Amino acid sequence: MELATHGAMPDGGVTRLALSEADIDARRLIARWAESLQAEVLADDAGNCFIRYAGRDPELPPVMAGSHIDTVPGGGKFDGAYGVVAALEVIEAMQQAGVRPKRSVEAVIWTNEEGARFSPGQMGAAAFAGTRSVDEILCVKDRDGVRVRDVLPRMLAALPKARMRSLGVPITAFFEAHIEQGPELEAHATQIGVVTGIQGRRSFIVTVLGEAAHGGTARQSERKDALLGAVRIIGALEASVLENESDARLTIGTFSLEPNAPLVVPGCVRFSVDLRHPENATMKRLGDLVPAICARHRGACAVEVVENANAPCAYFGEPMMQFIEAAVDRLQLSRRRIFSLAGHDSREIVKIAPTGMIFVPCKRGLSHSALEEAEPHDLAAGARVLAEVVIAACDA
Ligand code: GLV
Ligand code: MN
Ligand code: MN
């Protein structure tokens, strides 16, 4: 709740965009918490932060747990933040119980998971996993033309005691606790979701280029109206992508219009397309339709389609799921396996280390919303499972 004061909105939601002042203040707060835990703070060139509780053998690769603290605009208090706070809680509980494990434990904050300001997301985790280069992510711009490289130094300057460390150090395992962001656990009255994998995502930026003209004088038949072109394209995308594909998800989440004046025929429209599907082959087929549909329905306008993310489904594997299930059973909590329809940093980290995710229920499955809510006893249960798997992995 204290973390949620950074970026708090009057309706109870949180707007804490990646590398915004609210994000930077929230990291400052976490660094203060780290100080009270006498844990070292580290950071890397992608702005990922690590709160490290050194183990008995500090040379061994650490066990990491965490998530992200950036939010979408008007997001909730729990998406991401819960996984970071739960990881800090694990360190604090170990210390209070006098437990110093063999391997070090690091609570991690991955930079820009959401991709709401700097698209696409899972940016820090992708840089850590080596799937995106630091040079590339530093050049990513927000809507106002501000680059990651313009704001990242401000974030690092807010953590003067952080020791810089190279990206992608070896890790023993990574665990991410997260609210489910869907309705299954609540519907089945189950405390813990053992996550089997994460569905794939492709995302595109579509630019429709028409011709700005006078709204009173330009002949209707001669107009190149970028807005009407975009509307036709979006209608066609909805019809073609969702046809017979009940598992597909299509979101046009951003949309901008130029010059955006009542008396001017729109000359340029830009919108995003977020496409998801739980099977890679279908995901590929649907994603490949996007440029073709845009070209077919552009009318008199020109259209440009740039694919800015293409992440296949990730799978965590049987040994990891059984490792988490054994921990849930030791704590005598109820569990079920669940496939994540939302994206997470774990989709990147699983490429370089054994990775597992622990879901807890959230009210009505609502997320990316001010109405996001989770019960304290469910959050506590998830944190206990996280502690159990972290300790087991530390001493393995
Ligand atoms: C992030 O929230 C995602 O679903 O990709
Ligand atoms: Mn999240
Ligand atoms: Mn999210």
Side-chain angles (χ1 to χ4, degrees), residues 180-185 193-200 247 276-280 312-316 321 336-342 344 347 357 359:
E180 180 200 336
Q181 306 181 280
E184 269 194 57
L185 293 175
V194 178
V195 184
T196 57
I198 302 176
Q199 81 171 339
D247 287 339
R276 318 228 185 173
H277 197 280
E279 286 157 21
N280 284 330
C313 297
Y315 300 98
F316 297 130
M321 290 188 288
R336 62 189 288 117
R337 290 191 176 189
I338 187 164
F339 185 67
S340 176
L341 300 183
H344 299 284
R347 184 161 56 198
M357 287 195 77
F359 274 179

PDB file of all heavy atoms in Angstrom, residues 180-185 193-200 247 276-280 312-316 321 336-342 344 347 357 359:
ATOM      1  N   GLU A 180      -3.195 -13.285 -10.530  1.00  0.00           N
ATOM      2  CA  GLU A 180      -3.529 -14.041 -11.753  1.00  0.00           C
ATOM      3  C   GLU A 180      -3.917 -13.140 -12.919  1.00  0.00           C
ATOM      4  O   GLU A 180      -3.629 -13.450 -14.068  1.00  0.00           O
ATOM      5  CB  GLU A 180      -4.686 -15.018 -11.450  1.00  0.00           C
ATOM      6  CG  GLU A 180      -5.085 -15.843 -12.668  1.00  0.00           C
ATOM      7  CD  GLU A 180      -6.472 -16.436 -12.572  1.00  0.00           C
ATOM      8  OE1 GLU A 180      -6.985 -16.623 -11.463  1.00  0.00           O
ATOM      9  OE2 GLU A 180      -7.049 -16.719 -13.639  1.00  0.00           O
ATOM     10  N   GLN A 181      -4.605 -12.039 -12.648  1.00  0.00           N
ATOM     11  CA  GLN A 181      -5.121 -11.144 -13.694  1.00  0.00           C
ATOM     12  C   GLN A 181      -6.184 -11.820 -14.545  1.00  0.00           C
ATOM     13  O   GLN A 181      -6.419 -11.431 -15.696  1.00  0.00           O
ATOM     14  CB  GLN A 181      -4.002 -10.597 -14.591  1.00  0.00           C
ATOM     15  CG  GLN A 181      -2.874  -9.914 -13.820  1.00  0.00           C
ATOM     16  CD  GLN A 181      -1.791  -9.370 -14.722  1.00  0.00           C
ATOM     17  OE1 GLN A 181      -0.934 -10.126 -15.175  1.00  0.00           O
ATOM     18  NE2 GLN A 181      -1.811  -8.082 -14.986  1.00  0.00           N
ATOM     19  N   GLY A 182      -6.795 -12.846 -14.013  1.00  0.00           N
ATOM     20  CA  GLY A 182      -7.864 -13.559 -14.692  1.00  0.00           C
ATOM     21  C   GLY A 182      -8.735 -14.204 -13.615  1.00  0.00           C
ATOM     22  O   GLY A 182      -8.407 -14.140 -12.421  1.00  0.00           O
ATOM     23  N   PRO A 183      -9.833 -14.821 -14.017  1.00  0.00           N
ATOM     24  CA  PRO A 183     -10.844 -15.250 -13.030  1.00  0.00           C
ATOM     25  C   PRO A 183     -10.766 -16.688 -12.519  1.00  0.00           C
ATOM     26  O   PRO A 183     -11.557 -17.091 -11.684  1.00  0.00           O
ATOM     27  CB  PRO A 183     -12.135 -15.075 -13.839  1.00  0.00           C
ATOM     28  CG  PRO A 183     -11.727 -15.375 -15.250  1.00  0.00           C
ATOM     29  CD  PRO A 183     -10.294 -14.955 -15.392  1.00  0.00           C
ATOM     30  N   GLU A 184      -9.783 -17.493 -13.039  1.00  0.00           N
ATOM     31  CA  GLU A 184      -9.853 -18.943 -12.790  1.00  0.00           C
ATOM     32  C   GLU A 184      -9.699 -19.350 -11.333  1.00  0.00           C
ATOM     33  O   GLU A 184     -10.426 -20.194 -10.829  1.00  0.00           O
ATOM     34  CB  GLU A 184      -8.749 -19.646 -13.595  1.00  0.00           C
ATOM     35  CG  GLU A 184      -9.192 -20.070 -14.960  1.00  0.00           C
ATOM     36  CD  GLU A 184      -8.209 -21.039 -15.577  1.00  0.00           C
ATOM     37  OE1 GLU A 184      -7.929 -22.092 -14.975  1.00  0.00           O
ATOM     38  OE2 GLU A 184      -7.685 -20.719 -16.654  1.00  0.00           O
ATOM     39  N   LEU A 185      -8.702 -18.769 -10.662  1.00  0.00           N
ATOM     40  CA  LEU A 185      -8.437 -19.186  -9.271  1.00  0.00           C
ATOM     41  C   LEU A 185      -9.623 -18.835  -8.387  1.00  0.00           C
ATOM     42  O   LEU A 185     -10.056 -19.636  -7.556  1.00  0.00           O
ATOM     43  CB  LEU A 185      -7.153 -18.536  -8.741  1.00  0.00           C
ATOM     44  CG  LEU A 185      -5.854 -19.002  -9.414  1.00  0.00           C
ATOM     45  CD1 LEU A 185      -4.655 -18.208  -8.891  1.00  0.00           C
ATOM     46  CD2 LEU A 185      -5.619 -20.491  -9.176  1.00  0.00           C
ATOM     47  N   GLY A 193      -1.996 -20.649  -8.016  1.00  0.00           N
ATOM     48  CA  GLY A 193      -1.894 -21.092  -9.402  1.00  0.00           C
ATOM     49  C   GLY A 193      -0.438 -21.421  -9.706  1.00  0.00           C
ATOM     50  O   GLY A 193       0.452 -20.590  -9.482  1.00  0.00           O
ATOM     51  N   VAL A 194      -0.198 -22.640 -10.159  1.00  0.00           N
ATOM     52  CA  VAL A 194       1.154 -23.018 -10.586  1.00  0.00           C
ATOM     53  C   VAL A 194       1.169 -22.811 -12.104  1.00  0.00           C
ATOM     54  O   VAL A 194       0.452 -23.484 -12.840  1.00  0.00           O
ATOM     55  CB  VAL A 194       1.453 -24.482 -10.210  1.00  0.00           C
ATOM     56  CG1 VAL A 194       2.839 -24.892 -10.695  1.00  0.00           C
ATOM     57  CG2 VAL A 194       1.339 -24.660  -8.697  1.00  0.00           C
ATOM     58  N   VAL A 195       1.973 -21.862 -12.549  1.00  0.00           N
ATOM     59  CA  VAL A 195       1.855 -21.395 -13.929  1.00  0.00           C
ATOM     60  C   VAL A 195       2.622 -22.331 -14.868  1.00  0.00           C
ATOM     61  O   VAL A 195       3.796 -22.644 -14.644  1.00  0.00           O
ATOM     62  CB  VAL A 195       2.343 -19.935 -14.054  1.00  0.00           C
ATOM     63  CG1 VAL A 195       2.120 -19.413 -15.475  1.00  0.00           C
ATOM     64  CG2 VAL A 195       1.612 -19.041 -13.055  1.00  0.00           C
ATOM     65  N   THR A 196       1.917 -22.779 -15.908  1.00  0.00           N
ATOM     66  CA  THR A 196       2.530 -23.728 -16.854  1.00  0.00           C
ATOM     67  C   THR A 196       3.324 -22.984 -17.942  1.00  0.00           C
ATOM     68  O   THR A 196       4.317 -23.479 -18.442  1.00  0.00           O
ATOM     69  CB  THR A 196       1.438 -24.572 -17.541  1.00  0.00           C
ATOM     70  OG1 THR A 196       0.511 -23.680 -18.188  1.00  0.00           O
ATOM     71  CG2 THR A 196       0.676 -25.412 -16.535  1.00  0.00           C
ATOM     72  N   GLY A 197       2.841 -21.790 -18.315  1.00  0.00           N
ATOM     73  CA  GLY A 197       3.516 -21.042 -19.377  1.00  0.00           C
ATOM     74  C   GLY A 197       2.799 -19.726 -19.620  1.00  0.00           C
ATOM     75  O   GLY A 197       1.861 -19.355 -18.900  1.00  0.00           O
ATOM     76  N   ILE A 198       3.250 -19.019 -20.620  1.00  0.00           N
ATOM     77  CA  ILE A 198       2.721 -17.681 -20.930  1.00  0.00           C
ATOM     78  C   ILE A 198       2.410 -17.624 -22.425  1.00  0.00           C
ATOM     79  O   ILE A 198       3.256 -17.988 -23.250  1.00  0.00           O
ATOM     80  CB  ILE A 198       3.768 -16.597 -20.589  1.00  0.00           C
ATOM     81  CG1 ILE A 198       4.159 -16.664 -19.111  1.00  0.00           C
ATOM     82  CG2 ILE A 198       3.248 -15.201 -20.955  1.00  0.00           C
ATOM     83  CD1 ILE A 198       5.249 -15.683 -18.713  1.00  0.00           C
ATOM     84  N   GLN A 199       1.221 -17.147 -22.766  1.00  0.00           N
ATOM     85  CA  GLN A 199       0.868 -17.130 -24.193  1.00  0.00           C
ATOM     86  C   GLN A 199       1.688 -16.093 -24.968  1.00  0.00           C
ATOM     87  O   GLN A 199       2.179 -15.111 -24.421  1.00  0.00           O
ATOM     88  CB  GLN A 199      -0.630 -16.918 -24.393  1.00  0.00           C
ATOM     89  CG  GLN A 199      -1.132 -15.517 -24.299  1.00  0.00           C
ATOM     90  CD  GLN A 199      -2.595 -15.407 -24.740  1.00  0.00           C
ATOM     91  OE1 GLN A 199      -3.120 -16.269 -25.456  1.00  0.00           O
ATOM     92  NE2 GLN A 199      -3.266 -14.355 -24.316  1.00  0.00           N
ATOM     93  N   GLY A 200       1.807 -16.358 -26.261  1.00  0.00           N
ATOM     94  CA  GLY A 200       2.617 -15.506 -27.127  1.00  0.00           C
ATOM     95  C   GLY A 200       1.929 -14.195 -27.464  1.00  0.00           C
ATOM     96  O   GLY A 200       0.727 -14.015 -27.249  1.00  0.00           O
ATOM     97  N   ASP A 247      -9.924 -18.204 -28.969  1.00  0.00           N
ATOM     98  CA  ASP A 247      -8.805 -18.001 -28.047  1.00  0.00           C
ATOM     99  C   ASP A 247      -7.932 -16.798 -28.416  1.00  0.00           C
ATOM    100  O   ASP A 247      -7.028 -16.435 -27.675  1.00  0.00           O
ATOM    101  CB  ASP A 247      -7.904 -19.248 -28.011  1.00  0.00           C
ATOM    102  CG  ASP A 247      -8.575 -20.385 -27.254  1.00  0.00           C
ATOM    103  OD1 ASP A 247      -9.497 -20.092 -26.460  1.00  0.00           O
ATOM    104  OD2 ASP A 247      -8.188 -21.546 -27.467  1.00  0.00           O
ATOM    105  N   ARG A 276      -2.696 -11.743 -29.356  1.00  0.00           N
ATOM    106  CA  ARG A 276      -2.222 -12.868 -28.526  1.00  0.00           C
ATOM    107  C   ARG A 276      -2.957 -14.155 -28.899  1.00  0.00           C
ATOM    108  O   ARG A 276      -4.130 -14.117 -29.283  1.00  0.00           O
ATOM    109  CB  ARG A 276      -2.475 -12.582 -27.040  1.00  0.00           C
ATOM    110  CG  ARG A 276      -2.141 -11.154 -26.678  1.00  0.00           C
ATOM    111  CD  ARG A 276      -1.319 -11.031 -25.482  1.00  0.00           C
ATOM    112  NE  ARG A 276      -1.166  -9.605 -25.177  1.00  0.00           N
ATOM    113  CZ  ARG A 276      -0.601  -9.161 -24.089  1.00  0.00           C
ATOM    114  NH1 ARG A 276      -0.115  -9.997 -23.196  1.00  0.00           N
ATOM    115  NH2 ARG A 276      -0.485  -7.865 -23.889  1.00  0.00           N
ATOM    116  N   HIS A 277      -2.245 -15.267 -28.733  1.00  0.00           N
ATOM    117  CA  HIS A 277      -2.876 -16.571 -28.932  1.00  0.00           C
ATOM    118  C   HIS A 277      -2.052 -17.617 -28.181  1.00  0.00           C
ATOM    119  O   HIS A 277      -0.822 -17.534 -28.161  1.00  0.00           O
ATOM    120  CB  HIS A 277      -2.962 -16.937 -30.427  1.00  0.00           C
ATOM    121  CG  HIS A 277      -3.934 -18.034 -30.676  1.00  0.00           C
ATOM    122  ND1 HIS A 277      -3.629 -19.361 -30.473  1.00  0.00           N
ATOM    123  CD2 HIS A 277      -5.234 -18.011 -31.068  1.00  0.00           C
ATOM    124  CE1 HIS A 277      -4.691 -20.095 -30.746  1.00  0.00           C
ATOM    125  NE2 HIS A 277      -5.681 -19.302 -31.101  1.00  0.00           N
ATOM    126  N   PRO A 278      -2.726 -18.606 -27.581  1.00  0.00           N
ATOM    127  CA  PRO A 278      -1.991 -19.607 -26.791  1.00  0.00           C
ATOM    128  C   PRO A 278      -1.248 -20.666 -27.618  1.00  0.00           C
ATOM    129  O   PRO A 278      -0.565 -21.510 -27.027  1.00  0.00           O
ATOM    130  CB  PRO A 278      -3.078 -20.251 -25.922  1.00  0.00           C
ATOM    131  CG  PRO A 278      -4.356 -19.986 -26.629  1.00  0.00           C
ATOM    132  CD  PRO A 278      -4.175 -18.713 -27.399  1.00  0.00           C
ATOM    133  N   GLU A 279      -1.411 -20.653 -28.952  1.00  0.00           N
ATOM    134  CA  GLU A 279      -0.655 -21.636 -29.763  1.00  0.00           C
ATOM    135  C   GLU A 279       0.209 -20.894 -30.762  1.00  0.00           C
ATOM    136  O   GLU A 279      -0.267 -20.032 -31.508  1.00  0.00           O
ATOM    137  CB  GLU A 279      -1.615 -22.547 -30.530  1.00  0.00           C
ATOM    138  CG  GLU A 279      -2.295 -23.575 -29.662  1.00  0.00           C
ATOM    139  CD  GLU A 279      -3.587 -24.052 -30.297  1.00  0.00           C
ATOM    140  OE1 GLU A 279      -3.745 -23.908 -31.527  1.00  0.00           O
ATOM    141  OE2 GLU A 279      -4.443 -24.536 -29.540  1.00  0.00           O
ATOM    142  N   ASN A 280       1.487 -21.292 -30.817  1.00  0.00           N
ATOM    143  CA  ASN A 280       2.425 -20.538 -31.654  1.00  0.00           C
ATOM    144  C   ASN A 280       2.067 -20.554 -33.141  1.00  0.00           C
ATOM    145  O   ASN A 280       2.206 -19.537 -33.822  1.00  0.00           O
ATOM    146  CB  ASN A 280       3.851 -21.072 -31.458  1.00  0.00           C
ATOM    147  CG  ASN A 280       4.434 -20.598 -30.138  1.00  0.00           C
ATOM    148  OD1 ASN A 280       4.089 -19.518 -29.655  1.00  0.00           O
ATOM    149  ND2 ASN A 280       5.297 -21.406 -29.540  1.00  0.00           N
ATOM    150  N   PRO A 312       7.063 -15.665 -28.830  1.00  0.00           N
ATOM    151  CA  PRO A 312       6.306 -16.918 -28.827  1.00  0.00           C
ATOM    152  C   PRO A 312       5.889 -17.293 -27.403  1.00  0.00           C
ATOM    153  O   PRO A 312       6.347 -16.688 -26.440  1.00  0.00           O
ATOM    154  CB  PRO A 312       7.306 -17.931 -29.387  1.00  0.00           C
ATOM    155  CG  PRO A 312       8.648 -17.335 -29.176  1.00  0.00           C
ATOM    156  CD  PRO A 312       8.481 -15.844 -29.115  1.00  0.00           C
ATOM    157  N   CYS A 313       5.038 -18.294 -27.287  1.00  0.00           N
ATOM    158  CA  CYS A 313       4.642 -18.786 -25.964  1.00  0.00           C
ATOM    159  C   CYS A 313       5.877 -19.275 -25.206  1.00  0.00           C
ATOM    160  O   CYS A 313       6.827 -19.778 -25.820  1.00  0.00           O
ATOM    161  CB  CYS A 313       3.688 -19.969 -26.104  1.00  0.00           C
ATOM    162  SG  CYS A 313       2.147 -19.554 -26.921  1.00  0.00           S
ATOM    163  N   ALA A 314       5.862 -19.122 -23.901  1.00  0.00           N
ATOM    164  CA  ALA A 314       6.937 -19.658 -23.066  1.00  0.00           C
ATOM    165  C   ALA A 314       6.359 -20.785 -22.210  1.00  0.00           C
ATOM    166  O   ALA A 314       5.179 -20.754 -21.866  1.00  0.00           O
ATOM    167  CB  ALA A 314       7.479 -18.559 -22.168  1.00  0.00           C
ATOM    168  N   TYR A 315       7.189 -21.774 -21.895  1.00  0.00           N
ATOM    169  CA  TYR A 315       6.754 -22.887 -21.045  1.00  0.00           C
ATOM    170  C   TYR A 315       7.770 -23.086 -19.929  1.00  0.00           C
ATOM    171  O   TYR A 315       8.977 -23.030 -20.167  1.00  0.00           O
ATOM    172  CB  TYR A 315       6.603 -24.166 -21.883  1.00  0.00           C
ATOM    173  CG  TYR A 315       5.576 -23.990 -22.973  1.00  0.00           C
ATOM    174  CD1 TYR A 315       5.962 -23.676 -24.283  1.00  0.00           C
ATOM    175  CD2 TYR A 315       4.218 -24.083 -22.688  1.00  0.00           C
ATOM    176  CE1 TYR A 315       5.023 -23.468 -25.276  1.00  0.00           C
ATOM    177  CE2 TYR A 315       3.267 -23.873 -23.688  1.00  0.00           C
ATOM    178  CZ  TYR A 315       3.669 -23.572 -24.970  1.00  0.00           C
ATOM    179  OH  TYR A 315       2.742 -23.351 -25.950  1.00  0.00           O
ATOM    180  N   PHE A 316       7.257 -23.310 -18.712  1.00  0.00           N
ATOM    181  CA  PHE A 316       8.180 -23.395 -17.566  1.00  0.00           C
ATOM    182  C   PHE A 316       8.690 -24.810 -17.300  1.00  0.00           C
ATOM    183  O   PHE A 316       9.684 -24.967 -16.610  1.00  0.00           O
ATOM    184  CB  PHE A 316       7.511 -22.810 -16.318  1.00  0.00           C
ATOM    185  CG  PHE A 316       7.196 -21.339 -16.490  1.00  0.00           C
ATOM    186  CD1 PHE A 316       5.940 -20.839 -16.211  1.00  0.00           C
ATOM    187  CD2 PHE A 316       8.162 -20.469 -16.972  1.00  0.00           C
ATOM    188  CE1 PHE A 316       5.650 -19.487 -16.390  1.00  0.00           C
ATOM    189  CE2 PHE A 316       7.879 -19.109 -17.159  1.00  0.00           C
ATOM    190  CZ  PHE A 316       6.621 -18.622 -16.862  1.00  0.00           C
ATOM    191  N   MET A 321       7.424 -26.961 -12.385  1.00  0.00           N
ATOM    192  CA  MET A 321       6.049 -26.951 -11.857  1.00  0.00           C
ATOM    193  C   MET A 321       5.940 -27.914 -10.667  1.00  0.00           C
ATOM    194  O   MET A 321       5.313 -27.588  -9.657  1.00  0.00           O
ATOM    195  CB  MET A 321       5.067 -27.322 -12.972  1.00  0.00           C
ATOM    196  CG  MET A 321       4.971 -26.218 -14.022  1.00  0.00           C
ATOM    197  SD  MET A 321       3.683 -26.482 -15.233  1.00  0.00           S
ATOM    198  CE  MET A 321       4.339 -27.811 -16.214  1.00  0.00           C
ATOM    199  N   ARG A 336      -3.851 -25.269  -8.475  1.00  0.00           N
ATOM    200  CA  ARG A 336      -4.179 -25.808  -9.789  1.00  0.00           C
ATOM    201  C   ARG A 336      -3.211 -25.219 -10.806  1.00  0.00           C
ATOM    202  O   ARG A 336      -2.629 -24.153 -10.584  1.00  0.00           O
ATOM    203  CB  ARG A 336      -5.636 -25.535 -10.180  1.00  0.00           C
ATOM    204  CG  ARG A 336      -6.010 -24.081 -10.291  1.00  0.00           C
ATOM    205  CD  ARG A 336      -7.507 -23.885 -10.467  1.00  0.00           C
ATOM    206  NE  ARG A 336      -7.957 -24.283 -11.794  1.00  0.00           N
ATOM    207  CZ  ARG A 336      -8.822 -25.269 -12.036  1.00  0.00           C
ATOM    208  NH1 ARG A 336      -9.335 -25.951 -11.047  1.00  0.00           N
ATOM    209  NH2 ARG A 336      -9.190 -25.564 -13.270  1.00  0.00           N
ATOM    210  N   ARG A 337      -3.014 -25.944 -11.871  1.00  0.00           N
ATOM    211  CA  ARG A 337      -2.130 -25.447 -12.929  1.00  0.00           C
ATOM    212  C   ARG A 337      -2.885 -24.440 -13.780  1.00  0.00           C
ATOM    213  O   ARG A 337      -4.086 -24.581 -13.992  1.00  0.00           O
ATOM    214  CB  ARG A 337      -1.601 -26.600 -13.779  1.00  0.00           C
ATOM    215  CG  ARG A 337      -0.623 -27.464 -13.001  1.00  0.00           C
ATOM    216  CD  ARG A 337       0.106 -28.437 -13.882  1.00  0.00           C
ATOM    217  NE  ARG A 337       1.099 -29.168 -13.088  1.00  0.00           N
ATOM    218  CZ  ARG A 337       2.002 -29.968 -13.587  1.00  0.00           C
ATOM    219  NH1 ARG A 337       2.068 -30.161 -14.897  1.00  0.00           N
ATOM    220  NH2 ARG A 337       2.876 -30.581 -12.807  1.00  0.00           N
ATOM    221  N   ILE A 338      -2.152 -23.456 -14.270  1.00  0.00           N
ATOM    222  CA  ILE A 338      -2.823 -22.393 -15.006  1.00  0.00           C
ATOM    223  C   ILE A 338      -1.870 -21.822 -16.056  1.00  0.00           C
ATOM    224  O   ILE A 338      -0.664 -21.675 -15.796  1.00  0.00           O
ATOM    225  CB  ILE A 338      -3.311 -21.333 -13.992  1.00  0.00           C
ATOM    226  CG1 ILE A 338      -4.172 -20.265 -14.636  1.00  0.00           C
ATOM    227  CG2 ILE A 338      -2.218 -20.706 -13.200  1.00  0.00           C
ATOM    228  CD1 ILE A 338      -4.948 -19.464 -13.589  1.00  0.00           C
ATOM    229  N   PHE A 339      -2.389 -21.559 -17.222  1.00  0.00           N
ATOM    230  CA  PHE A 339      -1.595 -20.970 -18.313  1.00  0.00           C
ATOM    231  C   PHE A 339      -1.852 -19.473 -18.316  1.00  0.00           C
ATOM    232  O   PHE A 339      -3.004 -19.043 -18.286  1.00  0.00           O
ATOM    233  CB  PHE A 339      -2.026 -21.607 -19.647  1.00  0.00           C
ATOM    234  CG  PHE A 339      -1.204 -21.180 -20.830  1.00  0.00           C
ATOM    235  CD1 PHE A 339       0.136 -21.539 -20.938  1.00  0.00           C
ATOM    236  CD2 PHE A 339      -1.768 -20.435 -21.848  1.00  0.00           C
ATOM    237  CE1 PHE A 339       0.885 -21.154 -22.045  1.00  0.00           C
ATOM    238  CE2 PHE A 339      -1.024 -20.042 -22.958  1.00  0.00           C
ATOM    239  CZ  PHE A 339       0.314 -20.414 -23.047  1.00  0.00           C
ATOM    240  N   SER A 340      -0.801 -18.677 -18.318  1.00  0.00           N
ATOM    241  CA  SER A 340      -0.969 -17.222 -18.200  1.00  0.00           C
ATOM    242  C   SER A 340      -1.296 -16.586 -19.542  1.00  0.00           C
ATOM    243  O   SER A 340      -0.550 -16.720 -20.508  1.00  0.00           O
ATOM    244  CB  SER A 340       0.307 -16.582 -17.646  1.00  0.00           C
ATOM    245  OG  SER A 340       0.145 -15.173 -17.634  1.00  0.00           O
ATOM    246  N   LEU A 341      -2.397 -15.867 -19.559  1.00  0.00           N
ATOM    247  CA  LEU A 341      -2.758 -15.145 -20.784  1.00  0.00           C
ATOM    248  C   LEU A 341      -2.104 -13.766 -20.823  1.00  0.00           C
ATOM    249  O   LEU A 341      -2.003 -13.143 -21.871  1.00  0.00           O
ATOM    250  CB  LEU A 341      -4.283 -15.028 -20.897  1.00  0.00           C
ATOM    251  CG  LEU A 341      -5.025 -16.374 -20.939  1.00  0.00           C
ATOM    252  CD1 LEU A 341      -6.517 -16.153 -21.125  1.00  0.00           C
ATOM    253  CD2 LEU A 341      -4.489 -17.269 -22.057  1.00  0.00           C
ATOM    254  N   ALA A 342      -1.676 -13.269 -19.658  1.00  0.00           N
ATOM    255  CA  ALA A 342      -0.957 -11.984 -19.612  1.00  0.00           C
ATOM    256  C   ALA A 342       0.539 -12.239 -19.786  1.00  0.00           C
ATOM    257  O   ALA A 342       1.024 -13.333 -19.499  1.00  0.00           O
ATOM    258  CB  ALA A 342      -1.207 -11.292 -18.277  1.00  0.00           C
ATOM    259  N   HIS A 344       4.618 -11.579 -18.926  1.00  0.00           N
ATOM    260  CA  HIS A 344       5.391 -11.353 -17.700  1.00  0.00           C
ATOM    261  C   HIS A 344       6.883 -11.358 -18.019  1.00  0.00           C
ATOM    262  O   HIS A 344       7.306 -11.940 -19.023  1.00  0.00           O
ATOM    263  CB  HIS A 344       5.118 -12.474 -16.678  1.00  0.00           C
ATOM    264  CG  HIS A 344       3.685 -12.545 -16.266  1.00  0.00           C
ATOM    265  ND1 HIS A 344       3.123 -11.656 -15.398  1.00  0.00           N
ATOM    266  CD2 HIS A 344       2.694 -13.400 -16.622  1.00  0.00           C
ATOM    267  CE1 HIS A 344       1.848 -11.953 -15.230  1.00  0.00           C
ATOM    268  NE2 HIS A 344       1.557 -13.007 -15.965  1.00  0.00           N
ATOM    269  N   ARG A 347       8.756 -14.552 -19.079  1.00  0.00           N
ATOM    270  CA  ARG A 347       8.834 -15.039 -20.464  1.00  0.00           C
ATOM    271  C   ARG A 347      10.234 -14.829 -21.025  1.00  0.00           C
ATOM    272  O   ARG A 347      10.687 -15.585 -21.871  1.00  0.00           O
ATOM    273  CB  ARG A 347       7.796 -14.314 -21.328  1.00  0.00           C
ATOM    274  CG  ARG A 347       7.758 -14.826 -22.747  1.00  0.00           C
ATOM    275  CD  ARG A 347       6.493 -14.485 -23.488  1.00  0.00           C
ATOM    276  NE  ARG A 347       6.247 -13.067 -23.489  1.00  0.00           N
ATOM    277  CZ  ARG A 347       5.060 -12.517 -23.752  1.00  0.00           C
ATOM    278  NH1 ARG A 347       4.026 -13.272 -23.998  1.00  0.00           N
ATOM    279  NH2 ARG A 347       4.912 -11.224 -23.746  1.00  0.00           N
ATOM    280  N   MET A 357       6.505 -19.476 -12.001  1.00  0.00           N
ATOM    281  CA  MET A 357       5.585 -18.413 -11.571  1.00  0.00           C
ATOM    282  C   MET A 357       4.507 -18.958 -10.646  1.00  0.00           C
ATOM    283  O   MET A 357       3.999 -20.060 -10.841  1.00  0.00           O
ATOM    284  CB  MET A 357       4.913 -17.746 -12.773  1.00  0.00           C
ATOM    285  CG  MET A 357       5.831 -16.846 -13.564  1.00  0.00           C
ATOM    286  SD  MET A 357       4.880 -15.776 -14.694  1.00  0.00           S
ATOM    287  CE  MET A 357       4.241 -14.541 -13.551  1.00  0.00           C
ATOM    288  N   PHE A 359       0.862 -17.854  -9.046  1.00  0.00           N
ATOM    289  CA  PHE A 359      -0.265 -16.915  -9.138  1.00  0.00           C
ATOM    290  C   PHE A 359      -1.096 -16.959  -7.860  1.00  0.00           C
ATOM    291  O   PHE A 359      -1.262 -18.024  -7.254  1.00  0.00           O
ATOM    292  CB  PHE A 359      -1.187 -17.292 -10.308  1.00  0.00           C
ATOM    293  CG  PHE A 359      -0.767 -16.725 -11.645  1.00  0.00           C
ATOM    294  CD1 PHE A 359      -1.520 -17.015 -12.793  1.00  0.00           C
ATOM    295  CD2 PHE A 359       0.343 -15.899 -11.788  1.00  0.00           C
ATOM    296  CE1 PHE A 359      -1.170 -16.504 -14.033  1.00  0.00           C
ATOM    297  CE2 PHE A 359       0.702 -15.376 -13.033  1.00  0.00           C
ATOM    298  CZ  PHE A 359      -0.056 -15.681 -14.151  1.00  0.00           C
TER     299      PHE A 359
END
